[in-house]
Amino acid sequence: MVREAFELSPASVVEGKDGYDHFMLKEIHEQPEALRRTLNGYIKDGLVDLSDLEINELFDGIKKIYIVGCGTAYHAGLVGRRAIEKLAKIPVEIDIASEFCYRDIPWGTDELMIIISQSGETADTLAAMREAKKFGTRVLAVTNVVDSTIAREADKVIYTQAGPEVSIASTKAYTCQLAIMYLLAFNLAHQRGTWDEQELRQMGNDLVNMDLNIETALGQEPRIKKIAQRYYQVENTFFLGRGFDAAVAMEGALKLKETSYIHAEAYPTGELKHGPIALITEGVPVLTAITQESLVERSISNLKEIKARGGVIIAVCTENLKEECQVCDEIIPIPAVNPILTPIVTVVPLQLFAYYMAVTRGNNVDQPRNLTKAVTVE
Ligand code: M6R
């Protein structure tokens, strides 16, 4: 059974902003509901059940997975790679769709491609999918738009149930793509017996409850607005994180640059000392996500290097790691959830930060310059 998904049609575009100033803010706030819809029916007693989708045979004997997408969809794939490799022990390669076709991949027969695209019409992503299909590779699409080209050409589809996403800056589609990545990782881990069943049940239940954690993170909106009003005039920023936080840092930077036009560079925290730290000068804001207890010590020592050079550190950190984050200038706390699942919550303050930076600068936040919702040219 394939459940109905959403089509971005002119009729749905005029749905309205429901009292919000912009679609982007409305869509950020819609995330708890979008997540509930996307997960609906797929988790039973904590365990993932995707049997309705008839996708299990796609994974039979798979020894390697390629995940491909552009922009925000690619960033969701970065999280997916970590979750699948950690839990299901399947090697995952991830690539940006526009680069994928220039590789000469020695394709094997036991490989699967997961294509992620909100619109299902992105030309680069479509080209990458067609390239893989030429070699007989099985393709699973994760998309938000029913009957889109990618949905039609893939072997199987899982629809995100984000609802129509009008703002060019993708927000709720990303959290729904993450939800699908976790469903796939949990499902594969269970089928292959690569992770303890009880722990998988716990994580499945935690995933179902992530809507509440997003709501808690949304409660930080007034604090984030004030922070944005303090820093909106800056021209350069950095976004850092380790492990799962590194993937979210990339999404945070993309949100900021496309809506506020502020230069935002994302790096894995450990990479900073290999060059970019030369750019840290007095007053440069460094946004960081600190949610991984096992990595916090190393990250804090890197942050001290930034502080010593006059950088301003704004940290999105889980409640349990607040003490460790005292070196930071601004702290945006989020609930302490299972470290594997934190990206779904961590991204919310970063989306709000980008939104308030952009509106404080007077930008057209829903339709930033030079961008379109679906990029249908290569
Ligand atoms: O529709 P798609 O998910 O294939 O789009 C991919 C990117 O063009 C898209 O995520 C873009 O980066 C967004 N504007 C990011 O907010």
Side-chain angles (χ1 to χ4, degrees), residues 70-73 116-122 125 168-170 177 251 254-255 258 371-375:
C70 299
T72 289
I116 310 176
S117 173
Q118 187 284 133
S119 63
E121 301 295 346
T122 301
T125 312
I168 283 179
S170 185
Q177 288 161 353
E251 176 58 9
L254 176 62
K255 284 294 86 84
E258 69 180 330
L371 298 173
T372 53
K373 188 65 185 160
V375 185

Side-chain angles (χ1 to χ4, degrees), residues 239-257:
F239 283 71
L240 304 177
R242 278 180 187 269
F244 280 101
D245 292 338
V248 184
M250 292 189 66
E251 176 58 9
L254 176 62
K255 284 294 86 84
L256 186 65
K257 65 184 99 170

